[in-house]
Amino acid sequence: MRFLVILLTSLMTAVFAAPLGDLVIVNDGLDASNPETIQDDYIRLTLSQPGYHQVVKIKQAIDDWLGPGVVIVDSQATLKVQAPRASTERIEFLSALLQLQVDLPVTE
């Protein structure tokens, strides 16, 4: 019984889920007024707290949701997610993407 309590406690504190919107800054790639904007089929995400472990967890969550091949990891701080170009579809996609729950390890 004691082992079970320890196991359950360690599992409960090992990870937490956070919405993707709390973890990243978004550049949707379609801001025509910004000269640095690249208009393509990708939404660019910059991690608020860069790290390879976190970027891999985000990629995995998106792959589990949309399937493989839609995320490109550029660095420990940035990744690109393939998205629709039509504005209405893109807004709906971005809204759903930012609500996606990402499991992250608890750091002490």
Side-chain angles (χ1 to χ4, degrees):
M1 180 69 151
R2 180 177 161 194
F3 174 74
L4 182 59
V5 170
I6 292 170
L7 177 63
L8 290 175
T9 303
S10 67
L11 290 175
M12 290 187 320
T13 59
V15 296
F16 74 98
L20 182 60
D22 290 352
L23 306 172
V24 298
I25 300 165
V26 177
N27 177 348
D28 76 353
L30 296 180
D31 181 7
S33 65
N34 183 349
E36 296 178 12
T37 293
I38 301 169
Q39 293 189 7
D40 60 12
D41 295 331
Y42 293 97
I43 292 174
R44 285 155 179 78
L45 304 176
T46 303
L47 278 65
S48 300
Q49 297 179 346
Y52 283 110
H53 188 73
Q54 189 167 344
V55 82
V56 166
K57 289 291 192 178
I58 291 171
K59 180 185 183 313
Q60 183 63 51
I62 297 170
D63 284 347
D64 290 348
W65 178 47
L66 297 172
V70 297
V71 179
I72 298 171
V73 175
D74 288 332
S75 71
Q76 69 177 358
T78 61
L79 50 93
K80 294 184 281 200
V81 181
Q82 190 171 4
R85 272 204 185 186
S87 60
T88 302
E89 292 174 14
R90 194 172 186 99
I91 290 168
E92 291 172 0
F93 176 83
L94 185 55
S95 175
L97 178 67
L98 294 179
Q99 293 176 36
L100 181 65
Q101 295 294 308
V102 179
D103 290 333
L104 297 171
V106 175
T107 56
E108 298 186 54

